Amino acid sequence: MTAKSSAPVCSVDVDGSNETQRMQQQAFAFSPAMAGFMLFLSGAAALIFQVLWIKQLSLVTGVDVHAVSAGVSAFFLGLALGSFALGRFGDRARRPLRLYALLEIGVALSGVVVTFALARIAPLFVAIEASLPIAAWAMLILLVAARAFLMGGTLPVLLRALETSPGGVGAKGGRLYAANTLGAIVGCLAVSFVIIPALGVQATGLAAAALGLSAAAIALSRGSTSATRASEALPATSIGEGGSRLALALYALAGGVALGYEVAWSQAIVQFISTRSFAFSVVLATYLAGLALGAALFARRTDRLADPWTTFGLLITAAGLVALFELAVLGTWLTAWQTNAEAAVAAMTGSIFAGMFARFVVAALTIVFIPTLILGAAFPVALRLAVNPAHIGRDTGRVLAFNTLGGIAGTLVTGFLLIPTLGIIRSFAILAVIAAAIGLVAIGRGKGSGLAGPRLAVPVLGALTLLLAVLVPSDRLANLLTTARSDGTIVSYEEGLGATVAVIEQGQADRRFRRLYIQGVSNTGDAMPSLRYMRLQALLPLIIHKGEPKSALVVGLGTGITAGSLLAYPGLDHRVAAELLPSVARATSLFAGNYNAAKDPRLEIRLRDGRRELLRSQERYDLITLEPPPPSAAGVVNLYSSDFYRLARDRLGENGMVAQWLPIATQNDEDTRSLVKSFLDTFPEVTLWSTELHEMLLVGSRERQEIDATRIANRMKERSIAAALGEVGISSPADLLATWMMDRSGLERYVGSALPVTDDQPRIEYASWVRPDDLQRTLPALIALRTELPLPAADPATKTSIAEAHNRLLLFYQASLNAYAGYRTEWARDMEPLMRAEPANPYYRWFVSSSQR
């Protein structure tokens, strides 16, 4: 029997006409539209809390794929258990609106508690983990899961409150699911684009709580008329085809497929977008929008379906096929579409940021939207099949719980097993084949005999899925990456745990170099400019150190050039490099200029997030040099905040130094000022050095830094040090000291009124898109503020040599700024005397050769 609608069932007069009249008054007082608005607020609050907690967990455990996955799984586990248990409890509640209000109040209050607790729990976590790691992780998981438990009960309880309103379970549930997901979309975009940038992390938790409390207030205002009958009073004849356990099982598998897609998409799409939080928010919002729109559109048809099993099977199978097909046909056409959209939007709005936003949206719509639209349409059909109208709250909770549990399994299996073992394309293929198998099982329960119409479509689509899974080459994404960089050839490509890592060789035949791409985005390489700043990143602070440095830590292995430069300093006894991604450590041996660091026993490589390394280890170092990815990348701001700098400062030995890479070409001037402000707030002694045209180096310490020209000259007589620096254009102590820019007084003038970057105010991560000419703004501003190099004991000849070397460096910078502005004649005019003065300087010669291509 097909249950076409639950409305006639719910209006059965059990207790007489007064009961019927009371229920009609309730339906008038509390409408599905009002319920949808409440779940919209609830969805926005839930997504904001989810983003906040995962972000905060990375500060406690480090930005490690295992740690982040544990946090995500804990959140979804809480949701699943809450849906299962509270949905059942909701069926027994005579006032489900009041129960819903209590849940929202509980979510809001406990959410604030979790947000504030996670901001302060790191020391406790580290202390417990040292002796009882299971207990430490259990504490974090319970902290997140217990609060998410309350969130999981909101939708089934509210659906129970609507049992007297017109429409079937599938239609009402689909609309509520769509409203809840729409709220999540708004929360997803608002948290990255507006709320965190404006309020900071902890105040954002308060804002999310306010949304939940608003939903609770609406529920309480309608609660006085919300009493309902117990569901058990409904006659057995009302059950129809709902309550299918097979539907629960299949939708759980579908949840695993859907979340598996999300994991795989996050790596597949990134080469077409960016590693910034904004880009990932757009992709997630597109994913949620597809689910919401699909559920909303199909909810209207669900109760009229003659064969919901076949429809369910067709939708799940089609989603898998479309997801795989989209990857199969990806090509340079997508990049062209993105470029055209970016140009059009930027021209209309005058905003670089709006143009980049359009670029992200085009990629997300092309790759993510259609499959999720189809998956979203399957939700109301699953409700129709799996929910017994006599137990709306219980069965809706089961659907959500099983789907969420399946999603957890799909996330973990895809992220930790499929992608590392088989790669992204083969992972998509397996997920699509599983979706086809779900469809075949579903049509087996459908009505009628034989294969005709939609029933025939399912095996046909399944066969096409299997064929496509075999035909699509596993190196599809690698080829797309190299195609997008027309002058490059791939050297290495690995789709590993948490990220894709590629090494691509680029440049002209007479001047080839290799570049490291993480998640499709260039991080660094072994071209001369990179080689120069990374050699100085390690050697400059060691050479100017007023003690006798014996130990050093590099945060961020990358190409291995900075860590390898430690090998050129003979006085070190202990050298450590912390690297998050094992695939990066494996790629290090492919780069020139790092002295084969990855295989040298004198360097210990620890596969650990830099923050986690400093949290867990009590070792002290004479130098900690920080070279993580650019600070605008998602999660990387954890290694640029005042809180992190204090952590690094506390791991310094006597006279120890922290050296911070300061990129001035990949962020706006105001963001550079904020980053410098964070450093100044942490270290009483700070100096700035210019390690390359595009890069600076901040050196901070607790003790006064003494620049001793004699000590520096003696250290540079070491053959290994002289050779390492000579290869990048530093052939004398004067060349090294010529890179001096300023002391603390100059930096304070540069910073002005800029606010610092902190864990609570991660402003750089959410900064505006980089303006194309900002190097031409930042570099001159820093040069203009240069202070005199303090060399009280140096002889006049030494000071003269340093001044001459500095003037040559400034001449090169001026020439380069002219080149960036398009003044090629002025560039050539300035470079001519520079090359006469230093014809053999490999750094200057590299740019001259590059300009002649």
Side-chain angles (χ1 to χ4, degrees):
M1 177 180 176
T2 301
K4 295 183 178 179
S5 173
S6 61
V9 173
C10 292
S11 61
V12 173
D13 190 354
V14 178
D15 299 320
S17 59
N18 289 337
E19 176 68 11
T20 302
Q21 184 179 10
R22 182 189 56 75
M23 293 176 63
Q24 290 173 346
Q25 291 174 348
Q26 176 202 348
F28 177 77
F30 183 62
S31 67
M34 183 66 70
F37 179 65
M38 290 157 58
L39 277 182
F40 172 87
L41 296 176
S42 177
L47 200 287
I48 292 170
F49 277 131
Q50 179 187 342
V51 170
L52 286 184
W53 295 345
I54 293 172
K55 182 176 183 61
Q56 290 182 295
L57 281 171
S58 71
L59 296 173
V60 178
T61 64
V63 186
D64 177 83
V65 66
H66 297 88
V68 172
S69 296
V72 173
S73 298
F75 183 85
F76 283 111
L77 178 63
L79 287 179
L81 295 177
S83 297
F84 187 86
L86 295 174
R88 180 185 295 269
F89 184 70
D91 274 342
R92 297 196 297 269
R94 290 189 56 81
R95 296 186 178 275
L97 274 183
R98 289 189 178 180
L99 174 58
Y100 171 84
L102 291 175
L103 290 177
E104 289 290 4
I105 292 171
V107 169
L109 298 181
S110 62
V112 171
V113 170
V114 172
T115 302
F116 280 76
L118 288 176
R120 296 159 177 82
I121 204 171
L124 177 62
F125 173 80
V126 172
I128 297 175
E129 190 190 30
S131 55
L132 296 170
I134 295 179
W137 282 96
M139 174 183 67
L140 291 183
I141 290 172
L142 287 174
L143 189 64
V144 173
R147 276 67 188 176
F149 176 87
L150 300 177
M151 294 180 183
T154 54
L155 193 152
V157 169
L158 202 54
L159 184 58
R160 162 82 168 94
L162 285 175
E163 69 175 357
T164 59
S165 65
V169 172
K172 290 184 291 188
R175 293 189 183 103
L176 289 185
Y177 177 78
N180 192 243
T181 308
L182 180 61
I185 295 168
V186 173
C188 170
L189 295 175
V191 74
S192 292
F193 286 89
V194 180
I195 307 177
I196 291 180
L199 303 178
V201 172
Q202 295 181 62
T204 296
L206 295 174
L211 293 174
L213 291 175
S214 298
I218 295 172
L220 290 174
S221 70
R222 299 294 190 273
S224 59
T225 59
S226 67
T228 64
R229 292 162 297 131
S231 296
E232 289 75 11
L234 296 172
T237 56
S238 71
I239 294 176
E241 67 188 346
S244 169
R245 293 183 178 180
L246 177 62
L248 279 177
L250 292 181
Y251 200 55
L253 288 174
V257 170
L259 267 295
Y261 284 152
E262 185 181 11
V263 172
W265 273 325
S266 69
Q267 293 197 41
I269 198 175
V270 76
Q271 66 173 283
F272 298 101
I273 50 171
S274 161
T275 54
R276 297 190 65 170
S277 294
F278 294 134
F280 290 116
S281 293
V282 170
V283 173
L284 178 56
T286 304
Y287 179 91
L288 295 172
L291 295 177
L293 186 59
L297 292 177
F298 217 77
R300 302 176 181 179
R301 301 186 55 189
T302 300
D303 292 333
R304 300 194 300 271
L305 292 174
D307 188 357
W309 278 106
T310 298
T311 302
F312 178 78
L314 184 60
L315 290 171
I316 298 299
T317 304
L321 177 60
V322 171
L324 187 57
F325 177 77
E326 287 177 337
L327 287 182
V329 299
L330 277 181
T332 54
W333 58 266
L334 176 55
T335 306
W337 284 11
Q338 289 181 281
T339 302
N340 292 336
E342 177 186 358
V345 173
M348 286 189 296
T349 63
S351 168
I352 298 172
F353 186 83
M356 293 307 299
F357 182 85
R359 191 178 191 91
F360 304 155
V361 169
V362 168
L365 289 176
T366 303
I367 299 174
V368 175
F369 182 70
I370 297 177
T372 54
L373 182 75
I374 302 171
L375 287 170
F379 177 74
V381 184
L383 287 181
R384 163 85 181 270
L385 294 170
V387 175
N388 184 331
H391 302 287
I392 292 177
R394 182 199 69 182
D395 288 354
T396 302
R398 283 179 176 178
V399 171
L400 293 172
F402 276 76
N403 183 255
T404 303
L405 290 173
I408 295 172
T411 298
L412 297 178
V413 170
T414 303
F416 289 93
L417 179 62
L418 293 182
I419 291 178
T421 305
L422 303 175
I424 296 173
I425 296 297
R426 289 289 172 259
S427 297
F428 266 107
I430 288 176
L431 292 170
V433 170
I434 293 173
I438 293 172
L440 289 174
V441 173
I443 65 169
R445 284 290 303 273
K447 295 183 177 180
S449 60
L451 293 175
R455 289 173 61 79
L456 177 61
V458 173
V460 170
L461 293 180
L464 290 174
T465 299
L466 189 59
L467 180 64
L468 202 58
V470 173
L471 293 179
V472 179
S474 59
D475 60 353
R476 180 83 178 118
L477 292 176
N479 291 332
L480 284 174
L481 181 62
T482 52
T483 301
R485 289 133 185 99
S486 56
D487 63 339
T489 56
I490 196 154
V491 177
S492 170
Y493 182 82
E494 182 177 347
E495 295 170 348
L497 194 64
T500 59
V501 175
V503 178
I504 296 180
E505 191 165 270
Q506 298 173 301
Q508 300 299 316
D510 62 335
R511 193 175 294 273
R512 302 290 283 177
F513 61 91
R514 292 176 175 179
R515 188 166 293 280
L516 177 67
Y517 288 86
I518 301 176
Q519 291 291 70
V521 177
S522 173
N523 272 241
T524 186
D526 58 9
M528 175 56 70
S530 299
L531 186 63
R532 177 181 169 102
Y533 89 77
M534 285 189 276
R535 287 272 173 89
L536 289 172
Q537 181 84 24
L539 292 176
L540 188 151
L542 289 171
I543 292 171
I544 68 172
H545 198 289
K546 70 178 183 181
E548 294 296 333
K550 297 297 182 183
S551 59
L553 167 68
V554 175
V555 173
L557 183 61
T559 61
I561 294 173
T562 299
S565 298
L566 298 178
L567 300 172
Y569 195 88
L572 293 178
D573 298 326
H574 187 42
R575 304 172 180 88
V576 179
E579 171 56 48
L580 176 63
L581 298 173
S583 46
V584 168
R586 288 190 287 270
T588 297
S589 60
L590 301 174
F591 291 95
N594 61 21
Y595 303 113
N596 202 20
K599 297 180 180 179
D600 195 305
R602 294 175 294 169
L603 175 68
E604 180 186 356
I605 298 176
R606 298 175 182 172
L607 295 176
R608 195 175 296 155
D609 168 80
R611 189 160 187 142
R612 185 167 174 79
E613 169 64 26
L614 293 177
L615 277 169
R616 290 187 60 180
S617 174
Q618 296 300 314
E619 293 179 75
R620 295 190 177 273
Y621 298 94
D622 297 311
L623 170 65
I624 299 175
T625 184
L626 310 173
E627 196 186 352
S632 60
V636 179
V637 72
N638 294 356
L639 304 178
Y640 287 92
S641 67
S642 300
D643 306 78
F644 175 69
Y645 292 146
R646 283 194 293 271
L647 185 60
R649 182 194 62 193
D650 294 342
R651 296 294 179 268
L652 293 177
E654 185 179 1
N655 297 319
M657 294 177 165
V658 170
Q660 171 65 70
W661 169 57
L662 182 65
I664 59 173
T666 57
Q667 59 186 6
N668 290 319
D669 181 63
E670 56 267 28
D671 304 318
T672 301
R673 294 174 192 264
S674 288
L675 197 156
V676 173
K677 173 63 173 173
S678 302
F679 209 76
L680 289 172
D681 283 354
T682 307
F683 298 98
E685 293 292 323
V686 183
T687 57
L688 181 70
W689 306 75
S690 177
T691 51
E692 203 272 314
L693 171 66
H694 311 88
E695 333 288 339
M696 296 278 174
L697 181 67
L698 286 164
V699 179
S701 60
R702 288 173 296 196
E703 295 83 11
R704 182 173 179 80
Q705 299 175 27
E706 298 175 359
I707 311 300
D708 187 323
T710 301
R711 181 171 59 235
I712 290 170
N714 289 334
R715 285 175 174 168
M716 288 187 66
K717 289 177 182 178
E718 287 282 352
R719 182 176 301 178
S720 56
I721 295 176
L725 292 179
E727 291 175 0
V728 296
I730 306 292
S731 58
S732 68
D735 287 338
L736 182 74
L737 292 173
T739 64
W740 162 272
M741 292 299 293
M742 64 190 74
D743 57 13
R744 185 181 183 92
S745 62
L747 287 167
E748 287 176 341
R749 290 198 299 274
Y750 171 68
V751 165
S753 60
L755 298 173
V757 181
T758 66
D759 288 349
D760 189 58
Q761 296 282 349
R763 57 189 82 254
I764 291 181
E765 183 174 359
Y766 303 98
S768 300
W769 202 258
V770 181
R771 297 181 289 265
D773 60 346
D774 234 54
L775 176 66
Q776 297 160 252
R777 180 181 293 105
T778 305
L779 183 58
L782 290 169
I783 291 173
L785 292 170
R786 183 178 184 267
T787 59
E788 184 179 353
L789 175 63
L791 285 174
D795 58 78
T798 298
K799 292 182 178 181
T800 299
S801 297
I802 295 170
E804 290 173 350
H806 179 70
N807 288 335
R808 291 193 295 271
L809 188 63
L810 288 185
L811 181 62
F812 169 68
Y813 287 172
Q814 181 58 55
S816 300
L817 290 172
N818 282 330
Y820 272 109
Y823 304 140
R824 305 298 298 178
T825 301
E826 287 77 2
W827 151 263
R829 179 200 64 201
D830 292 337
M831 291 302 294
E832 183 179 353
L834 180 62
M835 294 312 299
R836 283 200 306 268
E838 291 199 54
N841 187 302
Y843 177 58
Y844 298 148
R845 285 183 62 82
W846 193 89
F847 285 93
V848 172
S849 177
S850 299
S851 68
Q852 293 172 346
R853 293 177 207 158

